[in-house]
Amino acid sequence: MGNSVPQEVIEKKIFLIRGHKVMLDKELAKLYGVTVKRLNEQVKRNIKRFPEDFMFQLAWEEVESLRSQFATLNNRPSGARGAHIKYLPYAFTEQGVAVLSSVLNSERAIQVNITIMRVFVKLKEMLLAHRELAHKLAELERKIEKHDADIGTIFEAIRQLMAPPPELPKRRIGFHPS
């Protein structure tokens, strides 16, 4: 992979778990060119740098959900190496990934981290653009609804103007006893 990792590759490795955009230790280890064991060793040696909002361990249910949704593990026979996981993976938020660059101090880790940070920024910008667009769309819908009501009132007034005047009862000529 060299030091350069395409942003599209990284984007596919970012998952939404517990309301956070995260990357899993397995995926980060591949990108950094280290083993998952080595990555987790470095994290454990520097555990004070990784509070719960930077990194958390997945529950078995979350692992199963990821496995079914994203096929994170290959479909291997049950006895094959890697078919089952022994340890629950760690998920790193954007801040946790940023801290990893200081823990894994290789040239590759630095370059990959820069790319990952750019992807997270790009995702935030896209989310912000979508929020602004959704807000503008809602605003436009409210205006249209108000205009629809106004236009309906105008049409009703035009219909009333176009309707023939109601016939008044004709007065009879002559003397009428009261």
Side-chain angles (χ1 to χ4, degrees):
M1 234 187 237
N3 284 347
S4 173
V5 179
Q7 288 188 4
E8 298 79 29
V9 170
I10 293 171
E11 286 173 14
K12 291 178 185 173
K13 298 180 186 301
I14 297 175
F15 303 107
L16 187 64
I17 301 174
R18 300 183 194 174
H20 300 281
K21 287 186 179 72
V22 298
M23 294 185 75
L24 302 178
D25 55 3
K26 173 183 163 186
E27 303 299 338
L28 286 164
K30 281 182 198 172
L31 291 170
Y32 293 138
V34 299
T35 64
V36 176
K37 183 178 178 179
R38 166 109 168 89
L39 183 135
N40 288 334
E41 282 173 356
Q42 290 302 98
V43 168
K44 287 175 185 169
R45 285 184 188 144
N46 296 278
I47 198 66
K48 288 182 181 179
R49 295 178 186 230
F50 296 95
E52 209 171 281
D53 57 327
F54 283 27
M55 177 194 79
F56 54 88
Q57 195 167 26
L58 299 185
W60 286 112
E61 299 81 33
E62 292 168 321
V63 172
E64 287 303 318
S65 175
L66 279 175
R67 187 181 294 186
S68 64
Q69 287 179 24
F70 304 107
T72 55
L73 293 178
N74 294 336
N75 294 328
R76 297 180 185 167
S78 60
R81 180 175 164 87
H84 299 288
I85 59 171
K86 282 184 176 179
Y87 306 103
L88 290 170
Y90 288 96
F92 294 85
T93 64
E94 178 180 357
Q95 295 85 357
V97 172
V99 172
L100 273 175
S101 67
S102 65
V103 172
L104 298 171
N105 199 8
S106 71
E107 185 61 33
R108 180 179 174 90
I110 293 167
Q111 292 306 312
V112 169
N113 243 55
I114 289 169
T115 306
I116 291 172
M117 291 299 105
R118 286 181 176 147
V119 170
F120 273 112
V121 167
K122 180 180 165 188
L123 290 174
K124 280 183 186 175
E125 288 171 352
M126 287 172 45
L127 181 62
L128 183 60
H130 286 291
R131 282 188 185 154
E132 287 176 10
L133 183 61
H135 177 71
K136 287 180 182 178
L137 187 60
E139 208 173 280
L140 185 61
E141 284 175 341
R142 281 192 297 278
K143 284 180 183 177
I144 288 173
E145 286 172 1
K146 183 183 178 322
H147 289 307
D148 283 351
D150 293 345
I151 291 170
T153 304
I154 292 169
F155 278 123
E156 185 57 37
I158 292 172
R159 282 190 198 99
Q160 288 176 3
L161 290 172
M162 290 174 45
E167 286 190 33
L168 297 173
K170 293 189 179 184
R171 289 181 24 156
R172 294 187 312 184
I173 300 176
F175 177 74
H176 304 285
S178 346

